[in-house]
Amino acid sequence: LKDVRLIIDDRKNGKLNDFVANSLKVKIDDETTYTAFTARENILVHNFLGDESSGSFLKEKNIEGGFSFRYVKNLKQLQFDNISINLSGHPFKVSGTFDLSGQDPQFSLTLHTRQVVYSLAKSFLPQKTENALSVISIDSKIDADATISGPLRKGNAKIGVTWKVSNANLTTPFLNFTNAFFTGYYTNHAIPGQQSGDANSKVVFTNFSANWHGMPVTSGSIEIQNLLKPLLTCDLSSNF
């Protein structure tokens, strides 16, 4: 296939999917318990699991790669394991499942990448989440792992991202640091049982060391809670 557009308009259930296949080749092997697919693709994503409240994953991003996936017949589920793809030219390893039946179909994705620019990494998330994560800025490349899961119909996905950062300039709404080294994570479901989203979000920096106005500082944990109305808690210490 070349230059084919696929739109799955399920906005009555809160989702819109819209793709353009610049090129797509698929080989199909039908077995007793599953159907195997081998694909090579170059796809432009206009909307992926998009909804009006939070926006779309991978909006206006290119997906390229050659990989295999399968449809498991008794589960009525698409599955893929540790496939290699490029998102806007950057390499990722991705695993996932998508339910294709049932009253409340779910999906789950895990993604792994190394040395990705922070601004590019957050742009793969829905626009509302990307805007919320823009309260911090990291000017060096990061190693990142993400888990994303949730309903294929109405409802927000749960997003969790862990990262490792070395020798970065870190800007926050409260304090700015240079030569920062840290690990940490972002979640949009900080309080279990509450709705996933920016009001229930948290960014945590752990194993933190940096310079602040020329002074070396360290912290076991720095937290920014509720990215809609950020609140900082930290235990900074310095020896000078």
Side-chain angles (χ1 to χ4, degrees):
L1 295 177
K2 285 188 177 181
D3 302 321
V4 175
R5 187 167 187 175
L6 173 64
I7 299 174
I8 304 174
D9 190 341
D10 194 26
R11 279 177 284 191
K12 67 179 181 180
N13 286 312
K15 301 295 179 183
L16 173 66
N17 295 288
D18 183 356
F19 310 94
V20 175
N22 298 315
S23 64
L24 176 63
K25 295 180 180 179
V26 180
K27 179 182 177 182
I28 301 173
D29 183 13
D30 190 31
E31 302 290 343
T32 302
T33 59
Y34 65 92
T35 302
F37 301 84
T38 303
R40 178 162 292 278
E41 63 177 38
N42 182 321
I43 292 176
L44 173 63
V45 179
H46 291 308
N47 278 279
F48 175 53
L49 300 176
D51 63 62
E52 294 179 354
S53 63
S54 59
S56 165
F57 290 93
L58 300 177
K59 190 171 182 66
E60 306 307 327
K61 298 293 189 292
N62 267 95
I63 302 174
E64 295 181 84
F67 54 87
S68 298
F69 60 99
R70 61 192 174 274
Y71 172 68
V72 180
K73 295 178 181 179
N74 65 326
L75 298 178
K76 297 183 179 179
Q77 186 181 76
L78 282 180
Q79 301 176 351
F80 46 92
D81 301 311
N82 205 36
I83 63 173
S84 298
I85 62 172
N86 287 334
L87 300 179
S88 292
H90 193 85
F92 281 77
K93 292 285 190 179
V94 185
S95 300
T97 62
F98 287 81
D99 294 337
L100 298 186
S101 68
Q103 295 298 313
D104 185 25
Q106 302 286 307
F107 78 96
S108 176
L109 291 168
T110 60
L111 303 94
H112 311 279
T113 191
R114 298 295 177 261
Q115 294 299 290
V116 63
V117 175
Y118 176 72
S119 58
L120 177 63
K122 64 186 177 67
S123 74
F124 297 135
L125 300 172
Q127 291 80 8
K128 195 172 180 180
T129 303
E130 179 187 1
N131 292 339
L133 283 170
S134 295
V135 302
I136 65 172
S137 173
I138 302 169
D139 74 346
S140 74
K141 295 179 179 180
I142 68 174
D143 296 342
D145 302 291
T147 59
I148 304 168
S149 62
L152 285 169
R153 294 177 180 168
K154 292 181 179 179
N156 292 335
K158 292 181 179 180
I159 303 171
V161 183
T162 62
W163 52 60
K164 181 179 180 181
V165 181
S166 299
N167 197 25
N169 292 320
L170 171 66
T171 302
T172 80
F174 308 98
L175 298 168
N176 300 329
F177 302 94
T178 58
N179 304 115
F181 293 77
F182 55 90
T183 54
Y185 66 90
Y186 160 81
T187 178
N188 72 343
H189 53 286
I191 302 174
Q194 294 190 10
Q195 182 177 357
S196 298
D198 296 332
N200 192 21
S201 60
K202 179 167 65 174
V203 174
V204 179
F205 307 100
T206 54
N207 305 309
F208 185 88
S209 65
N211 289 327
W212 178 66
H213 293 289
M215 294 187 299
V217 295
T218 60
S219 176
S221 178
I222 300 173
E223 293 190 6
I224 302 176
Q225 301 176 2
N226 186 350
L227 297 187
L228 290 179
K229 299 179 180 179
L231 174 66
L232 174 71
T233 58
C234 64
D235 64 349
L236 282 176
S237 61
S238 179
N239 294 317
F240 59 92

Coordinates of all heavy atoms in Angstrom, one line a residue, residues 5-63:
R5 N -5.0 6.5 3.4 CA -5.3 7.1 4.7 C -6.4 6.2 5.3 O -7.4 5.8 4.7 CB -5.9 8.5 4.5 CG -6.1 9.2 5.8 CD -6.3 10.7 5.6 NE -6.4 11.4 6.9 CZ -6.5 12.8 7.0 NH1 -6.5 13.5 5.9 NH2 -6.6 13.3 8.2
L6 N -6.2 5.9 6.6 CA -7.2 5.1 7.4 C -7.6 6.0 8.6 O -6.8 6.4 9.4 CB -6.5 3.9 7.9 CG -7.3 3.0 8.9 CD1 -8.6 2.5 8.2 CD2 -6.5 1.9 9.5
I7 N -9.0 6.1 8.7 CA -9.6 6.9 9.8 C -10.6 6.0 10.5 O -11.5 5.4 9.8 CB -10.3 8.2 9.2 CG1 -9.3 9.1 8.5 CG2 -11.0 8.9 10.4 CD1 -10.0 10.3 7.9
I8 N -10.4 5.8 11.8 CA -11.3 5.1 12.6 C -11.9 6.1 13.6 O -11.3 6.5 14.6 CB -10.6 4.0 13.4 CG1 -9.9 3.0 12.4 CG2 -11.6 3.2 14.2 CD1 -9.1 2.0 13.1
D9 N -13.1 6.6 13.2 CA -13.7 7.7 13.9 C -14.7 7.1 15.0 O -15.8 6.7 14.6 CB -14.5 8.6 13.0 CG -15.0 9.9 13.7 OD1 -15.1 9.9 14.9 OD2 -15.3 10.9 12.9
D10 N -14.2 7.0 16.2 CA -15.1 6.5 17.3 C -15.3 7.5 18.4 O -15.2 7.3 19.5 CB -14.4 5.2 17.9 CG -15.3 4.4 18.8 OD1 -16.6 4.5 18.6 OD2 -14.9 3.7 19.7
R11 N -15.5 8.8 17.9 CA -15.6 9.9 18.8 C -16.8 9.8 19.7 O -16.9 10.4 20.8 CB -15.5 11.2 18.1 CG -14.1 11.6 17.8 CD -14.0 12.9 17.0 NE -14.4 12.7 15.6 CZ -14.2 13.6 14.6 NH1 -13.6 14.8 14.9 NH2 -14.5 13.3 13.4
K12 N -17.8 9.0 19.3 CA -18.9 8.8 20.2 C -18.5 8.0 21.5 O -19.1 8.1 22.5 CB -20.0 8.0 19.5 CG -19.7 6.6 19.2 CD -20.8 5.9 18.5 CE -20.4 4.4 18.1 NZ -21.5 3.7 17.4
N13 N -17.4 7.3 21.4 CA -16.8 6.6 22.5 C -15.5 7.3 23.0 O -14.7 6.8 23.7 CB -16.5 5.1 22.2 CG -17.8 4.3 22.2 OD1 -18.6 4.4 23.1 ND2 -17.9 3.5 21.2
G14 N -15.3 8.5 22.4 CA -14.2 9.3 22.9 C -12.8 9.1 22.3 O -11.8 9.6 22.8
K15 N -12.7 8.4 21.1 CA -11.4 8.1 20.5 C -11.5 8.4 19.0 O -12.5 8.2 18.4 CB -11.0 6.7 20.8 CG -10.9 6.3 22.2 CD -9.8 7.1 22.9 CE -9.7 6.7 24.4 NZ -8.6 7.4 25.1
L16 N -10.3 8.9 18.5 CA -10.2 9.1 17.1 C -8.8 8.6 16.7 O -7.8 8.9 17.3 CB -10.3 10.6 16.7 CG -10.0 10.9 15.2 CD1 -11.0 10.3 14.3 CD2 -9.9 12.4 15.1
N17 N -8.7 7.7 15.6 CA -7.5 7.2 15.1 C -7.4 7.6 13.6 O -8.4 7.4 12.9 CB -7.3 5.7 15.2 CG -7.3 5.3 16.7 OD1 -6.3 5.5 17.3 ND2 -8.4 4.7 17.2
D18 N -6.3 8.2 13.2 CA -6.2 8.7 11.8 C -4.7 8.6 11.4 O -3.8 9.2 12.0 CB -6.6 10.2 11.8 CG -6.6 10.8 10.5 OD1 -6.2 10.2 9.5 OD2 -7.0 12.0 10.4
F19 N -4.5 7.7 10.4 CA -3.1 7.4 9.9 C -3.1 7.6 8.4 O -4.0 7.3 7.7 CB -2.8 5.9 10.2 CG -3.0 5.5 11.7 CD1 -4.2 4.9 12.0 CD2 -2.0 5.7 12.6 CE1 -4.4 4.5 13.3 CE2 -2.2 5.3 13.9 CZ -3.4 4.7 14.3
V20 N -1.9 7.9 7.9 CA -1.6 7.9 6.5 C -0.4 6.9 6.3 O 0.7 7.1 6.8 CB -1.2 9.3 6.0 CG1 -0.8 9.2 4.5 CG2 -2.4 10.2 6.1
A21 N -0.7 5.9 5.5 CA 0.4 4.9 5.2 C 1.1 5.4 4.0 O 0.6 5.3 2.8 CB -0.2 3.5 4.9
N22 N 2.3 6.0 4.2 CA 3.1 6.4 3.0 C 3.6 5.2 2.3 O 3.6 5.2 1.0 CB 4.3 7.2 3.5 CG 3.9 8.5 4.2 OD1 3.0 9.2 3.8 ND2 4.5 8.7 5.4
S23 N 3.9 4.1 3.0 CA 4.2 2.8 2.4 C 3.9 1.7 3.5 O 4.2 2.0 4.6 CB 5.6 2.7 1.9 OG 6.5 2.8 2.9
L24 N 3.3 0.6 3.1 CA 3.0 -0.5 4.0 C 3.0 -1.8 3.3 O 2.3 -2.0 2.3 CB 1.7 -0.2 4.6 CG 1.1 -1.3 5.6 CD1 2.1 -1.5 6.8 CD2 -0.3 -1.0 6.0
K25 N 3.9 -2.7 3.7 CA 3.9 -4.1 3.2 C 3.7 -5.0 4.3 O 4.3 -4.9 5.4 CB 5.3 -4.4 2.5 CG 5.6 -3.5 1.3 CD 6.9 -3.9 0.7 CE 7.2 -3.1 -0.5 NZ 8.6 -3.4 -1.1
V26 N 2.7 -6.0 4.1 CA 2.4 -6.9 5.2 C 2.3 -8.3 4.6 O 1.7 -8.6 3.6 CB 1.0 -6.6 5.8 CG1 0.7 -7.6 6.9 CG2 1.0 -5.2 6.4
K27 N 3.0 -9.3 5.3 CA 2.9 -10.7 5.0 C 2.1 -11.4 6.1 O 2.3 -11.1 7.3 CB 4.3 -11.3 4.9 CG 4.3 -12.8 4.6 CD 5.8 -13.3 4.6 CE 5.7 -14.8 4.4 NZ 7.1 -15.4 4.4
I28 N 1.2 -12.2 5.7 CA 0.2 -12.8 6.7 C 0.4 -14.3 6.7 O 0.5 -15.0 5.6 CB -1.2 -12.5 6.3 CG1 -1.4 -11.0 6.3 CG2 -2.2 -13.1 7.3 CD1 -2.8 -10.5 5.9
D29 N 0.5 -14.9 7.9 CA 0.6 -16.4 8.0 C -0.4 -16.8 9.0 O -0.3 -16.5 10.2 CB 2.0 -16.7 8.5 CG 2.2 -18.2 8.6 OD1 1.4 -19.0 8.1 OD2 3.2 -18.6 9.3
D30 N -1.5 -17.5 8.5 CA -2.6 -17.9 9.4 C -2.4 -19.3 10.0 O -2.2 -20.3 9.2 CB -3.9 -17.8 8.6 CG -5.1 -18.0 9.5 OD1 -5.1 -17.6 10.6 OD2 -6.1 -18.6 9.0
E31 N -2.3 -19.3 11.3 CA -2.1 -20.6 12.0 C -3.4 -20.9 12.8 O -4.3 -20.2 12.8 CB -0.9 -20.5 13.0 CG 0.4 -20.1 12.3 CD 1.0 -21.3 11.4 OE1 0.5 -22.4 11.6 OE2 1.8 -21.0 10.6
T32 N -3.4 -22.1 13.5 CA -4.6 -22.6 14.1 C -5.0 -21.6 15.3 O -6.2 -21.3 15.4 CB -4.3 -24.0 14.7 OG1 -4.0 -24.9 13.7 CG2 -5.6 -24.5 15.4
T33 N -4.0 -21.2 16.1 CA -4.4 -20.4 17.3 C -4.1 -18.9 17.1 O -4.5 -18.1 18.0 CB -3.6 -20.9 18.5 OG1 -2.2 -20.8 18.3 CG2 -4.0 -22.4 18.8
Y34 N -3.4 -18.6 16.1 CA -3.0 -17.2 15.9 C -2.8 -16.9 14.4 O -2.6 -17.8 13.6 CB -1.8 -16.8 16.7 CG -0.5 -17.5 16.2 CD1 0.3 -16.9 15.3 CD2 -0.2 -18.7 16.7 CE1 1.4 -17.5 14.8 CE2 1.0 -19.4 16.3 CZ 1.8 -18.8 15.3 OH 2.9 -19.4 14.9
T35 N -2.8 -15.6 14.1 CA -2.4 -15.1 12.8 C -1.2 -14.2 12.9 O -1.2 -13.3 13.7 CB -3.6 -14.3 12.1 OG1 -4.7 -15.2 12.0 CG2 -3.2 -13.9 10.7
A36 N -0.1 -14.6 12.2 CA 1.1 -13.8 12.3 C 1.2 -12.8 11.2 O 0.9 -13.1 10.0 CB 2.3 -14.8 12.3
F37 N 1.7 -11.6 11.5 CA 1.9 -10.6 10.5 C 3.4 -10.1 10.5 O 3.9 -9.9 11.6 CB 1.0 -9.4 10.8 CG -0.5 -9.7 10.8 CD1 -1.0 -10.2 12.0 CD2 -1.3 -9.5 9.7 CE1 -2.4 -10.4 12.0 CE2 -2.6 -9.7 9.8 CZ -3.2 -10.2 10.9
T38 N 3.9 -10.0 9.4 CA 5.3 -9.4 9.2 C 5.1 -8.1 8.4 O 4.6 -8.2 7.3 CB 6.3 -10.3 8.6 OG1 6.3 -11.5 9.4 CG2 7.7 -9.7 8.5
A39 N 5.5 -7.0 9.0 CA 5.2 -5.7 8.3 C 6.4 -4.8 8.1 O 7.3 -4.9 9.0 CB 4.1 -4.9 9.1
R40 N 6.4 -4.1 7.1 CA 7.4 -3.0 7.0 C 6.6 -1.7 6.6 O 5.8 -1.7 5.7 CB 8.4 -3.2 5.9 CG 9.4 -2.1 5.7 CD 10.7 -2.5 4.9 NE 11.5 -3.4 5.8 CZ 12.3 -3.0 6.7 NH1 12.4 -1.7 7.0 NH2 13.0 -3.9 7.4
E41 N 6.8 -0.7 7.4 CA 5.9 0.5 7.3 C 6.6 1.8 7.4 O 7.7 1.9 7.9 CB 4.8 0.4 8.4 CG 5.4 0.5 9.8 CD 4.3 0.5 10.8 OE1 3.3 -0.2 10.7 OE2 4.4 1.3 11.8
N42 N 6.0 2.8 6.8 CA 6.3 4.2 6.9 C 4.9 4.9 7.1 O 4.2 5.1 6.1 CB 7.1 4.7 5.8 CG 7.5 6.2 6.0 OD1 6.7 7.0 6.5 ND2 8.7 6.5 5.6
I43 N 4.6 5.3 8.3 CA 3.2 5.8 8.5 C 3.3 7.1 9.2 O 4.1 7.3 10.2 CB 2.4 4.8 9.4 CG1 2.1 3.5 8.6 CG2 1.1 5.4 9.9 CD1 1.4 2.4 9.4
L44 N 2.5 8.1 8.8 CA 2.3 9.3 9.4 C 1.1 9.3 10.3 O 0.0 8.9 9.8 CB 2.2 10.5 8.4 CG 1.8 11.8 9.0 CD1 2.9 12.4 9.9 CD2 1.5 12.8 7.8
V45 N 1.2 9.6 11.6 CA 0.1 9.6 12.5 C -0.5 11.0 12.7 O 0.2 11.9 13.1 CB 0.6 9.1 13.9 CG1 -0.6 9.0 14.9 CG2 1.2 7.7 13.8
H46 N -1.8 11.1 12.3 CA -2.5 12.3 12.6 C -3.1 12.3 14.0 O -3.1 13.2 14.8 CB -3.6 12.6 11.6 CG -3.0 13.0 10.2 ND1 -2.1 13.9 10.0 CD2 -3.3 12.4 9.0 CE1 -1.8 14.0 8.7 NE2 -2.5 13.1 8.1
N47 N -3.7 11.1 14.3 CA -4.3 10.9 15.7 C -4.1 9.4 16.0 O -4.4 8.6 15.2 CB -5.8 11.3 15.7 CG -6.0 12.7 15.9 OD1 -6.0 13.2 17.0 ND2 -6.3 13.4 14.8
F48 N -3.7 9.2 17.2 CA -3.6 7.8 17.8 C -4.2 7.8 19.2 O -3.7 8.5 20.1 CB -2.2 7.3 17.7 CG -2.0 5.9 18.3 CD1 -2.8 4.8 17.9 CD2 -1.1 5.7 19.3 CE1 -2.7 3.6 18.5 CE2 -0.9 4.4 19.9 CZ -1.7 3.4 19.5
L49 N -5.3 7.1 19.4 CA -6.0 7.1 20.6 C -6.3 8.5 21.1 O -6.2 8.9 22.2 CB -5.2 6.4 21.7 CG -4.9 4.9 21.4 CD1 -4.0 4.3 22.5 CD2 -6.2 4.1 21.3
G50 N -6.6 9.4 20.1 CA -6.9 10.8 20.4 C -8.3 11.0 21.0 O -9.2 10.3 20.6
D51 N -8.4 11.9 21.9 CA -9.7 12.4 22.4 C -9.6 13.9 22.6 O -8.6 14.5 22.7 CB -10.1 11.6 23.7 CG -9.1 11.9 24.9 OD1 -9.0 13.1 25.3 OD2 -8.5 11.0 25.4
E52 N -10.8 14.5 22.7 CA -10.9 15.9 22.8 C -10.4 16.5 24.1 O -10.0 17.7 24.1 CB -12.4 16.3 22.6 CG -12.9 16.0 21.2 CD -14.4 16.4 21.0 OE1 -15.0 16.9 22.0 OE2 -14.9 16.3 19.9
S53 N -10.4 15.7 25.1 CA -10.0 16.3 26.4 C -8.5 16.4 26.6 O -8.0 17.4 27.1 CB -10.6 15.5 27.6 OG -10.1 14.2 27.6
S54 N -7.7 15.4 26.1 CA -6.3 15.4 26.4 C -5.4 15.4 25.1 O -4.3 15.8 25.2 CB -5.9 14.1 27.2 OG -6.3 12.9 26.5
G55 N -6.0 15.1 23.9 CA -5.2 15.1 22.7 C -4.8 13.7 22.3 O -5.2 12.7 22.8
S56 N -3.9 13.6 21.3 CA -3.5 12.4 20.7 C -2.1 12.0 21.0 O -1.2 12.9 21.2 CB -3.6 12.6 19.2 OG -2.9 11.5 18.5
F57 N -1.8 10.7 21.2 CA -0.5 10.2 21.2 C 0.1 10.3 19.8 O -0.6 10.1 18.8 CB -0.4 8.7 21.6 CG -0.7 8.5 23.1 CD1 -2.0 8.2 23.5 CD2 0.3 8.6 24.0 CE1 -2.3 8.0 24.8 CE2 0.0 8.4 25.4 CZ -1.3 8.1 25.8
L58 N 1.4 10.6 19.7 CA 2.2 10.6 18.4 C 1.6 11.5 17.4 O 1.7 11.2 16.2 CB 2.2 9.1 17.9 CG 2.9 8.1 18.8 CD1 2.8 6.7 18.1 CD2 4.3 8.4 19.0
K59 N 1.0 12.6 17.8 CA 0.4 13.5 16.8 C 1.4 14.1 15.8 O 2.4 14.6 16.2 CB -0.4 14.6 17.5 CG -1.3 15.4 16.5 CD -2.2 16.4 17.3 CE -3.1 17.1 16.3 NZ -4.0 16.2 15.6
E60 N 1.1 13.9 14.5 CA 1.9 14.3 13.4 C 3.4 13.8 13.5 O 4.3 14.4 13.1 CB 1.9 15.9 13.3 CG 0.6 16.5 13.3 CD -0.3 15.9 12.1 OE1 0.3 15.6 11.1 OE2 -1.5 15.9 12.3
K61 N 3.5 12.5 13.9 CA 4.8 11.8 14.0 C 4.8 10.7 13.0 O 3.8 10.1 12.7 CB 5.0 11.3 15.4 CG 5.0 12.4 16.5 CD 6.3 13.3 16.3 CE 6.5 14.2 17.5 NZ 5.4 15.3 17.6
N62 N 6.0 10.4 12.6 CA 6.2 9.3 11.6 C 6.7 8.0 12.4 O 7.4 8.1 13.4 CB 7.3 9.6 10.6 CG 6.8 10.2 9.4 OD1 6.7 11.4 9.2 ND2 6.3 9.3 8.4
I63 N 6.1 6.9 12.0 CA 6.5 5.6 12.5 C 7.1 4.8 11.3 O 6.5 4.7 10.3 CB 5.3 4.8 13.0 CG1 4.6 5.5 14.1 CG2 5.8 3.4 13.6 CD1 3.3 4.8 14.6

